Amino acid sequence: MKTKPDLSFWKLWNLSFGFFGVQIAYALQSANISRIFSTLGADPHNLSYFWILPPLMGILVQPIVGTLSDRTWTRFGRRIPYLFIGALVAVLVMCLLPNAGSLGLTIGAAMIFGLVSLMFLDTSINMAMQPFKMLVGDMVNEKQKAKAYSIQSFLCNAGSVAGYVFPFFFTWLGIQNEAAAGVVPDSVIWSFYVGAAILILCVIYTTVKVKEWNPQEYAMYNGIQNKEEKKDSANWFTLLKNAPSTFWKVGLVQFFCWAAFMYMWTYTPGAIASACWDVDMTLADATTSAAYQEAGNWVGILFAVQAIGSVVWAALLPQFKNTKLAYSLSLVLGGIGFAMVPFIHNQYAQFIPFLLIGCAWAAMLAMPFTFVTNALQGYGHMGAYLGLFNGTICVPQIVAALLGGVILSLVGSIQGNMMIVAGVLLICGSVAVTVIRNK
């Protein structure tokens, strides 16, 4: 097998630049889906059900795109065709989804239109996201992979911050942040339009700048990977049966963590509107108020603060000699942050809990794969195991979404209390870290 050549900084940058646009789309979805469906008239007890689709599409689409692109060879490459098709569909749906309430449909029909649009948006974002990870694996040598993924992480966080602040920014520019009952404000609609334009431009840039290797070159540089791909066709149930105990112990931590963040994405708009704008979220017309829409814009700012906190904490995590301590402490800090949210009534003071939540997010993105890849040394089937490990991200979100309405009723139908539930889940996750064996 021939050693992969070193790539310049700009070639590494070009491999991942499209990820900036994809992450803008993902951030707009994360920060605004609850706001959109609440505006359309969704009952808060049913709100979490709309969040079943993102993880469900992730657990279905990412392995399929990975498997199919492994077998695809075209004049445009093997990964880029999936990236481009996914981005095109995402752009179309991003222009449709926020207009669900503007088409003269009944409330029920608007909900169904929005739900179908969300399904296609999730599918297309996952289809566009997966190829970036595989492009780095295909074309970057081991020495430069850390640098390549660092660039990808930077673009990911930068795209998140941009997507989160768009509604606030466009409102500041003078675009209307209020609308008739059941209609999504123009500030949100234009955020999706601009996000869609940036997404397709970024993907076109990557498509033009990146030239994937042909089959002969790929085989020359990735001979070992080709053999691994054949071995990784082993039965998934057999692999799970033989998985190291650390795989399942980290999976338990993942369950608590991703369930907590599912409730953050679902209930933060209502929690912030209630805590900082005194909106009574139990009223039927609460989401038509100017205060609720202003709170919705501020949620994007808070999510951007969380992303910034995550970047800062991620830089500090390597300074901890005890990895388990760093992991557990990060989750405790995030749990405290969640629990603080309903008790802080100043919108700027909310920066503090969301910075703490960013600490947990940084650990969730880095620590699990550290423990699992260490435990899998000598097991083989690394690619298959990491694909299966993605289920520990998606399944908890699906379970949390299914139970969201029930738990909301148990905590008095107060959305701010769901942030406390999220905090308790993160504390449980920090306790579960103690059972992991650090190989």
Side-chain angles (χ1 to χ4, degrees), residues 157-359:
N157 283 294
S160 294
V161 171
Y164 287 146
V165 304
F166 272 177
F168 180 89
F169 175 70
F170 288 125
T171 301
W172 178 75
L173 287 180
I175 295 176
Q176 277 293 324
N177 194 46
E178 300 176 44
V183 177
V184 177
D186 286 345
S187 58
V188 177
I189 293 174
W190 278 99
S191 295
F192 274 79
Y193 287 170
V194 173
I198 294 174
L199 167 59
I200 196 62
L201 288 173
C202 289
V203 169
I204 289 173
Y205 178 89
T206 293
T207 303
V208 171
K209 289 291 186 178
V210 175
K211 179 175 173 55
E212 291 189 73
W213 291 324
N214 60 40
Q216 294 73 30
E217 290 173 318
Y218 179 85
M220 180 171 61
Y221 289 119
N222 293 275
I224 294 177
Q225 276 86 336
N226 284 334
K227 294 175 184 176
E228 281 295 318
E229 285 169 8
K230 294 177 182 177
K231 291 194 292 183
D232 282 351
S233 63
N235 184 286
W236 286 357
F237 294 104
T238 302
L239 293 176
L240 289 173
K241 180 181 176 182
N242 297 327
S245 62
T246 299
F247 182 97
W248 299 107
K249 291 174 181 176
V250 176
L252 177 63
V253 179
Q254 291 272 84
F255 181 88
F256 292 118
C257 293
W258 287 96
F261 273 80
M262 169 58 75
Y263 291 144
M264 181 194 80
W265 295 322
T266 306
Y267 298 108
T268 296
I272 295 300
S274 178
C276 300
W277 273 266
D278 295 322
V279 178
D280 186 350
M281 293 304 299
T282 62
L283 299 178
D285 61 348
T287 59
T288 64
S289 67
Y292 176 80
Q293 298 301 340
E294 189 176 348
N297 284 354
W298 196 250
V299 167
I301 298 296
L302 294 177
F303 283 4
V305 168
Q306 175 213 314
I308 294 168
S310 176
V311 171
V312 174
W313 190 249
L316 297 176
L317 281 176
Q319 307 304 316
F320 286 86
K321 293 183 179 180
N322 187 325
T323 310
K324 285 176 59 175
L325 174 62
Y327 196 4
S328 185
L329 174 63
S330 300
L331 299 185
V332 169
L333 292 174
I336 293 171
F338 275 129
M340 290 170 63
V341 169
F343 301 105
I344 295 178
H345 304 295
N346 181 286
Q347 66 191 83
Y348 296 99
Q350 287 284 356
F351 288 170
I352 297 171
F354 278 87
L355 284 171
L356 294 176
I357 292 168
C359 296

Side-chain angles (χ1 to χ4, degrees), residues 2-58:
K2 191 174 179 180
T3 302
K4 297 176 186 177
D6 285 346
L7 301 179
S8 68
F9 171 84
W10 289 112
K11 285 186 177 180
L12 294 174
W13 175 273
N14 293 341
L15 279 177
S16 295
F17 183 72
F19 206 84
F20 175 78
V22 174
Q23 199 61 31
I24 287 178
Y26 191 75
L28 284 167
Q29 172 189 284
S30 299
N32 293 287
I33 287 305
S34 287
R35 179 182 182 181
I36 288 172
F37 282 102
S38 292
T39 301
L40 293 177
D43 186 297
H45 296 85
N46 299 329
L47 204 54
S48 66
Y49 300 147
F50 296 104
W51 283 93
I52 294 173
L53 285 173
L56 184 60
M57 290 299 102

Side-chain angles (χ1 to χ4, degrees), residues 382-404:
M382 181 71 78
Y385 270 119
L386 292 182
L388 292 169
F389 190 68
N390 187 59
T392 67
I393 295 173
C394 299
V395 171
Q397 295 180 67
I398 295 170
V399 173
L402 289 171
L403 296 177

Side-chain angles (χ1 to χ4, degrees), residues 94-111:
M94 288 175 73
C95 294
L96 293 175
L97 174 59
N99 287 295
S102 308
L103 303 175
L105 304 173
T106 63
I107 293 177
M111 292 279 191

Side-chain angles (χ1 to χ4, degrees), residues 405-421:
V406 175
I407 296 175
L408 180 61
S409 296
L410 292 175
V411 296
S413 297
I414 298 172
Q415 295 186 48
N417 288 346
M418 292 300 288
M419 304 300 282
I420 299 175
V421 171

